[in-house]
Amino acid sequence: MTFAATVWNENIHEVLEPHIMPFYPAGIHGAVADALYEQLGDAVTVHTATLDQEEHGLTESVLANTDVLFWWGHLGHDRVDDAIVERVQRQVLSGMGLVVLHSGHFSKIFTRLLGTTCSLAWRDDADREVVWTTAPGHPIAKGVPSPLVIEHHETYGEFFDVPEPEETVFISSFSGGEVFRSGLTYRRGRGRIFYFSPGDQKYPVYLHPDVRRVLGNAARWAAGDDFRRVPAVSHPALGELIETAARRR
Amino acid sequence: MTFAATVWNENIHEVLEPHIMPFYPAGIHGAVADALYEQLGDAVTVHTATLDQEEHGLTESVLANTDVLFWWGHLGHDRVDDAIVERVQRQVLSGMGLVVLHSGHFSKIFTRLLGTTCSLAWRDDADREVVWTTAPGHPIAKGVPSPLVIEHHETYGEFFDVPEPEETVFISSFSGGEVFRSGLTYRRGRGRIFYFSPGDQKYPVYLHPDVRRVLGNAARWAAGDDFRRVPAVSHPALGELIETAARRR
Amino acid sequence: MTFAATVWNENIHEVLEPHIMPFYPAGIHGAVADALYEQLGDAVTVHTATLDQEEHGLTESVLANTDVLFWWGHLGHDRVDDAIVERVQRQVLSGMGLVVLHSGHFSKIFTRLLGTTCSLAWRDDADREVVWTTAPGHPIAKGVPSPLVIEHHETYGEFFDVPEPEETVFISSFSGGEVFRSGLTYRRGRGRIFYFSPGDQKYPVYLHPDVRRVLGNAARWAAGDDFRRVPAVSHPALGELIETAARRR
Amino acid sequence: MTFAATVWNENIHEVLEPHIMPFYPAGIHGAVADALYEQLGDAVTVHTATLDQEEHGLTESVLANTDVLFWWGHLGHDRVDDAIVERVQRQVLSGMGLVVLHSGHFSKIFTRLLGTTCSLAWRDDADREVVWTTAPGHPIAKGVPSPLVIEHHETYGEFFDVPEPEETVFISSFSGGEVFRSGLTYRRGRGRIFYFSPGDQKYPVYLHPDVRRVLGNAARWAAGDDFRRVPAVSHPALGELIETAARRR
């Protein structure tokens, strides 16, 4: 059984200041795509898409053929077209998986699906981030050491204004004493959502073998199946409803 | 300790077809306000607001002085100004309570806070609705008989496309065999949200003594306290964070 | 990838009053095992075990080789040895899946894992049960029609005294107007638990094609992976903790 | 409106090694009781009880008159009589609040209500614990600074083997980099449970003004109301159920 991942990246830091990320010669999307191939091998086919493409590379056809969408954005949140955001939201509600990475917490698609500000505390002092597993039986934590240590990273801290998640899979601490719920799952409509905070553009986080393992696990966990349908109003006539159900058997 | 409730109603059925609701001479908002006074007495002051008022009656000042907002809408969802919806959302995230009633499931404010379609199945055949308590220790269920029977009501059925709630307080069945999660709680930002499905315009549901009890309990449960602040990004400098905290003690 | 299911049944009705279940010539365990083979084919190997066997058929070795355990009990809950219950609990916490069926809500293993009385309302008048899907994107609901109609069944009703579940997958209504949360998921330790209420001994419920589909989906969803470890206290020395983690990379 | 709190303490360290806690001349139970009076004033009456008393001081009468029970235990978990534990559990399920403190995570009452091992990682190196609020709108967090800093405390770390809570109110970090979910809410039956990890016997944690505020808030939040009933099986005859409900209106 194979599935299709699309890795979306705004691809702005890559163009404006490529010198800050010499470790990502193919961009953040390239690194994430590479991690998925490494972790999942033949089980996945990976496609990438960026902000500057026609329809941000997220045409109806691309999304209809995507089982799980990865999202990395930072400087360009406002430049994402509302119509495309609605399109992505509709696909998530109909069953497409969504993995939102790092500064994507402020993306239109994430705040729209969660309904909160998704704000947080932050500073960037190259602290050590220590990522602890708080749901060791969860498929996304499979094979991930606890703690997973990232030697240098931007600091994200609580209060992270998101709804209470279905499961808190990871919680991080930072050298300064902050904590952050760094791996959270949600279900919205028929779709599954995973937020994972590691991955600032200035640090080679997506080369970390255990972070890559999380990306692979998350892709597999969030990927929807073939069936896709936006939840919609139904209006059965009296009596028909139950009879239909009985006939269906 | 007293608190302030604002009951918002689009007030459209009342104007277009008052004959369908002879039992609500003061409108749906009037009936809900009356229920709150009956249940809570001196503990509450109730204000009402409607769609056709300036800023829909929901000025910054009104909202800043509202501890819990009730919302009833149906035909006029699209006529609610987006700027007002954002204003209400900001107040909820900062700590104002919100009680969404019946067809308000499709209101802009509810779908924006929940992030899903909030669609459902429905028909209107004056079925009997039987409301069962599934969280008997919850403050909203206090003193409410299980089941609470509404002799005639519009039918709402699953699948109700909302996020998994924090607590499922009530589940209803209907004569036709449908089930519906009719009382659901959520927390978003600092605010508490309760959705309660009874209350179609064609049936005198808000005169039912036990429904009125639910309204009173919900007002008390959702009402925020004096402190109100929208979650926002903070950006502490290195070292300052913890020292500040220590000084604060 | 294959996994191993063990279907445990107290096997008392089968011995005392086989005439009430002519449709289960191989017992309830036989019917459930048959459903799993039908639904999962080569992906599963199924083993059965019963109360009267040595150690109730649940030796350490059997459990260690079980990825998901099905549990059906009714008259014999008290006859299940406490030591065996503890053994099963330890395996669930270490990662074995558990699917508890129907009257198993009162089993020692279920009440011990959930911590509540697990009591409910019931009567047996051969009502029609209508099972609605409330989480259509959940793997356990895959391919299951909503509603799934069981023409005649014992009635279970709310209040069902269980903890708020991680996800409410199914809710049933009955001819008498009762509702019941009939499909609920929990995670305890590393293990996944699914409770599914259909399956009284007097009705051929496990021959229903869509019920069998639920059993197959539940087996696949709950089955743990190879790694199994009971959560335990760790006591790292100062400094060692993080260094160990760093070395592990 | 006033309510009654009972503070239970095993009172073993106080007897065996009083020199380690010169800051608690009246024992841990005395310090907690004092905090409740300080925070809640006339709203509360506080009673204390200890392991060595008849029935551990938790007679049916004491519990029936307790709205919220605080529990501190460490060395004596095994000496708590199973019959008393069952009695406490029954009261919690019937609506009494329960606040479990620190090493009480391993108490019989807590593990029985949660169903998991409740194990964790620990060491004791007088680390600084920084307690962050992750649910700022929750009544238990009211007026509590985020972070709340405890200069020296025993270290508790993840994985904390408890069920996914209803709300994660606090998460702590420690000097060594560990994180711990230090404030968690659960509902079981009609009762509310709060676990709060600060409070090792060797550190004067219950003298910390903000910790005392948490204790006061928790007492108020968890306290049940007058109505108390263990969830139990009901067995209505066909037809009677709904008619009864209708009559009740």
Side-chain angles (χ1 to χ4, degrees), chain A:
Chain A
M1 192 188 64
T2 67
F3 64 96
T6 297
V7 179
W8 189 91
N9 178 20
E10 58 173 38
N11 197 38
I12 297 180
H13 291 290
E14 285 84 346
V15 171
L16 290 187
E17 42 178 7
H19 61 279
I20 70 164
M21 46 172 82
F23 35 82
Y24 293 153
I28 290 173
H29 47 300
V32 171
D34 186 58
L36 297 182
Y37 275 127
E38 175 196 286
Q39 296 291 318
L40 301 168
D42 290 346
V44 73
T45 59
V46 187
H47 177 90
T48 64
T50 55
L51 181 66
D52 60 349
Q53 294 175 331
E54 184 85 22
E55 304 183 40
H56 310 326
L58 300 172
T59 60
E60 289 285 9
S61 153
V62 163
L63 291 176
N65 291 289
T66 296
D67 295 303
V68 56
L69 175 68
F70 282 70
W71 193 276
W72 199 102
H74 181 213
L75 302 175
H77 293 320
D78 286 346
R79 292 161 56 190
V80 178
D81 194 83
D82 284 342
I84 305 297
V85 175
E86 267 196 56
R87 184 187 288 172
V88 173
Q89 180 179 19
R90 219 167 46 238
Q91 288 292 342
V92 171
L93 298 179
S94 79
M96 182 180 73
L98 178 68
V99 177
V100 174
L101 297 171
H102 192 59
S103 44
H105 71 91
F106 263 155
S107 62
K108 287 182 179 177
I109 183 61
F110 194 58
T111 56
R112 182 174 295 212
L113 281 162
L114 295 200
T116 54
T117 66
C118 300
S119 61
L120 42 71
W122 72 278
R123 58 186 174 78
D124 184 5
D125 299 291
D127 276 33
R128 184 180 63 180
E129 175 172 358
V130 186
V131 185
W132 301 84
T133 297
T134 50
H138 198 285
I140 294 180
K142 187 173 177 176
V144 178
S146 180
L148 178 172
V149 180
I150 300 171
E151 285 304 332
H152 301 291
H153 196 221
E154 185 183 30
T155 296
Y156 274 11
E158 297 284 344
F159 171 60
F160 185 22
D161 179 30
V162 288
E164 190 77 18
E166 296 216 339
E167 298 189 285
T168 300
V169 182
F170 301 116
I171 299 177
S172 294
S173 72
F174 294 83
S175 311
E178 287 92 342
V179 300
F180 191 72
R181 290 170 289 169
S182 47
L184 302 175
T185 69
Y186 295 93
R187 181 169 55 81
R188 288 296 180 270
R190 292 172 172 276
R192 296 173 180 199
I193 302 171
F194 181 60
Y195 174 75
F196 186 56
S197 61
D200 186 72
Q201 67 277 1
K202 289 167 52 187
Y203 307 89
V205 171
Y206 296 131
L207 303 184
H208 190 305
D210 294 320
V211 168
R212 292 165 82 90
R213 185 175 289 266
V214 172
L215 297 178
N217 289 347
R220 204 188 284 275
W221 173 82
D225 53 42
D226 296 341
F227 184 81
R228 202 73 74 79
R229 188 169 62 191
V230 189
V233 169
S234 64
H235 180 182
L238 180 60
E240 182 211 342
L241 186 71
I242 301 304
E243 285 167 23
T244 300
R247 277 201 302 272
R248 204 179 304 163
R249 285 195 298 156

Side-chain angles (χ1 to χ4, degrees), chain B residues 15 21 32 42 61 117 123 127 132 157 160 166 175 207 240:
Chain B
V15 171
M21 47 171 83
V32 171
D42 289 346
S61 154
T117 65
R123 56 185 176 78
D127 275 33
W132 301 84
F160 185 23
E166 297 216 338
S175 311
L207 303 185
E240 181 210 342

